[in-house]
Amino acid sequence: MTNRVFSGAQPSGNMHLGNYLGAFRNWARLQDDYECIYCVVDMHAITVWQSPQDLINQTREATAAYIAAGVDPKKSILFNQSRVPGHAELAWIFNCVARLGWLNRMTQFKDKVGKNRENASVGLYVYPDLMAADILLYKATHVPVGEDQKQHLELTRDIAQKFNNDYGVELFPLTEPLILGEGARVMSLRNGNQKMSKSDPSEYSRINLNDDADTIALKIRKAKTDPEPLPGKAADLGDRAEAKNLVGIYAALADMSRDAVCAEFEGKGFGDFKKALTDLAVANLAPITEEMARLEKDPAYIDSVLKEGGERANAIAEPILSEVKQVVGFLS
Ligand code: TRP
């Protein structure tokens, strides 16, 4: 079987450094070694309310962010989920394979709904079945995901295995996670124990991909730290969550290990370190910001990328879905 990568991200507005270092940059790096399929998951997005115009704008913005980060729509397949009907069709079949008990264990659902479970959409509950369908519709062998999606990927494997067992076939692969390098988890600049997030009320908690150099400098200057100097080894950062986060961001941007960053700045305070981090962040992000701005002025191009990507994705999905339908016993 060919090695095929599938990954997806929700079309949330305000793309930030955490999205870039944790996801898109890695997606771009996989293109030379794998056949890659990248998806803007607009069907997952509507599991919570989205105004239609925001959904359209954010789908285009996410697509622009992936391309600006280096995803090449000629090399990889880049499309929005709702264009390929197989995602919904296979998700239905998986709704009938997955057990209630399995979904009841999903921590992301529990975290998202809190005490408001009765009022959550049914779509939010079966969100992981749709994610399994995204991956298995292409028989993807590898999925780059962050820590927070590992449980969903395990569910995907459970669904693949139960389907194969129930129907006595070897149809779906057991997909492996790809956990990639430094920066997989970028934390808030205001609280080193919280993930960098677009929904944090403080703008100073995150670096947005459309921040200019002055804004980046200001946010890094205001980032929470402690008065201690940097140690020579990353392990000696101990429980200094904010210090660890800034060292991690530096390491990811410079493509260095955390140890190498500590060795370089050993004994220096955060005043000096932040200056170096600012220069590095601006140098890395300026070309991306510029490319995103350029692409956002050309929605017709973005739409044409998604259309062509959808056609290519569908060409892979259709025969797999036919095989599944035949196995299940659907006449066609
Ligand atoms: N649930 C993922 C997230 O929130 C997005 C996603 C949807 C995804 N389908 C996927 C990721 C398939 C990897 C593979 O980040």
Side-chain angles (χ1 to χ4, degrees):
M1 198 171 326
T2 50
N3 281 330
R4 182 177 284 155
V5 159
F6 183 97
S7 200
Q10 295 211 31
S12 50
N14 278 330
M15 296 285 165
H16 55 72
L17 184 67
N19 302 126
Y20 173 62
L21 292 177
F24 318 151
R25 188 178 72 159
N26 297 328
W27 292 9
R29 291 180 171 185
L30 292 168
Q31 294 178 111
D32 294 327
D33 298 323
Y34 295 89
E35 178 189 0
C36 296
I37 305 175
Y38 296 129
C39 185
V40 183
V41 293
D42 49 6
M43 290 161 63
H44 278 103
I46 64 162
T47 55
V48 295
W49 170 252
Q50 303 291 323
S51 92
Q53 196 54 52
D54 285 351
L55 184 58
I56 290 170
N57 295 341
Q58 291 176 12
T59 299
R60 290 189 181 129
E61 186 190 334
T63 308
Y66 306 162
I67 297 172
V71 173
D72 177 350
K74 290 278 171 261
K75 263 192 217 160
S76 299
I77 295 178
L78 180 51
F79 73 111
N80 57 311
Q81 190 183 26
S82 59
R83 245 174 230 278
V84 176
H87 291 259
E89 293 181 68
L90 189 57
W92 176 255
I93 294 172
F94 288 170
N95 282 342
C96 303
V97 173
R99 307 287 92 184
L100 276 179
W102 298 1
L103 288 174
N104 285 338
R105 284 195 283 277
M106 294 295 113
T107 55
Q108 183 167 306
F109 176 77
K110 288 189 244 184
D111 292 345
K112 272 199 182 161
V113 300
K115 291 195 180 73
N116 222 351
R117 189 184 158 101
E118 292 295 305
N119 203 30
S121 74
V122 176
L124 190 64
Y125 185 68
V126 294
Y127 177 117
D129 292 350
L130 178 59
M131 180 162 159
D134 296 341
I135 296 165
L136 295 173
L137 183 60
Y138 304 94
K139 297 189 180 177
T141 53
H142 296 84
V143 174
V145 282
E147 268 317 298
D148 62 328
Q149 294 298 313
K150 270 171 102 178
Q151 195 186 30
H152 289 161
L153 199 59
E154 278 158 26
L155 185 89
T156 301
R157 293 162 62 93
D158 289 342
I159 288 175
Q161 194 146 37
K162 182 163 165 56
F163 182 97
N164 288 347
N165 279 340
D166 286 354
Y167 290 102
V169 291
E170 283 290 322
L171 203 156
F172 292 121
L174 298 184
T175 309
E176 300 282 345
L178 281 175
I179 307 279
L180 295 149
E182 301 285 357
R185 202 164 155 81
V186 177
M187 311 305 280
S188 156
L189 299 180
R190 305 298 304 163
N191 176 351
N193 294 306
Q194 248 169 37
K195 216 173 136 174
M196 185 176 283
S197 159
K198 64 146 193 161
S199 46
D200 193 312
S202 168
E203 269 297 319
Y204 289 105
S205 70
R206 65 185 157 264
I207 293 173
N208 295 315
L209 291 185
N210 55 12
D211 283 345
D212 60 21
D214 289 344
T215 310
I216 293 175
L218 179 65
K219 287 179 176 176
I220 293 178
R221 200 160 356 109
K222 286 196 172 254
K224 195 174 160 201
T225 43
D226 56 49
E228 302 296 316
L230 282 146
K233 284 206 187 76
D236 295 333
L237 284 163
D239 57 3
R240 297 164 64 188
E242 285 78 20
K244 266 190 190 161
N245 186 36
L246 293 187
V247 168
I249 292 173
Y250 192 105
L253 287 170
D255 259 320
M256 288 163 73
S257 70
R258 287 165 200 242
D259 274 332
V261 175
C262 286
E264 191 171 322
F265 289 92
E266 179 169 14
K268 295 229 166 84
F270 272 94
D272 290 337
F273 182 74
K274 282 179 166 183
K275 281 198 195 98
L277 179 59
T278 301
D279 291 344
L280 184 63
V282 169
N284 267 263
L285 297 181
I288 297 172
T289 306
E290 217 171 281
E291 178 68 353
M292 267 183 83
R294 193 184 70 76
L295 290 166
E296 273 169 28
K297 286 196 206 99
D298 195 355
Y301 168 72
I302 297 286
D303 293 358
S304 73
V305 164
L306 294 173
K307 179 167 186 286
E308 195 202 307
E311 284 160 6
R312 288 165 64 203
N314 205 34
I316 300 174
E318 261 184 354
I320 296 174
L321 191 64
S322 302
E323 195 187 354
V324 174
K325 286 179 173 174
Q326 206 177 5
V327 163
V328 169
F330 290 164
L331 287 174
S332 67

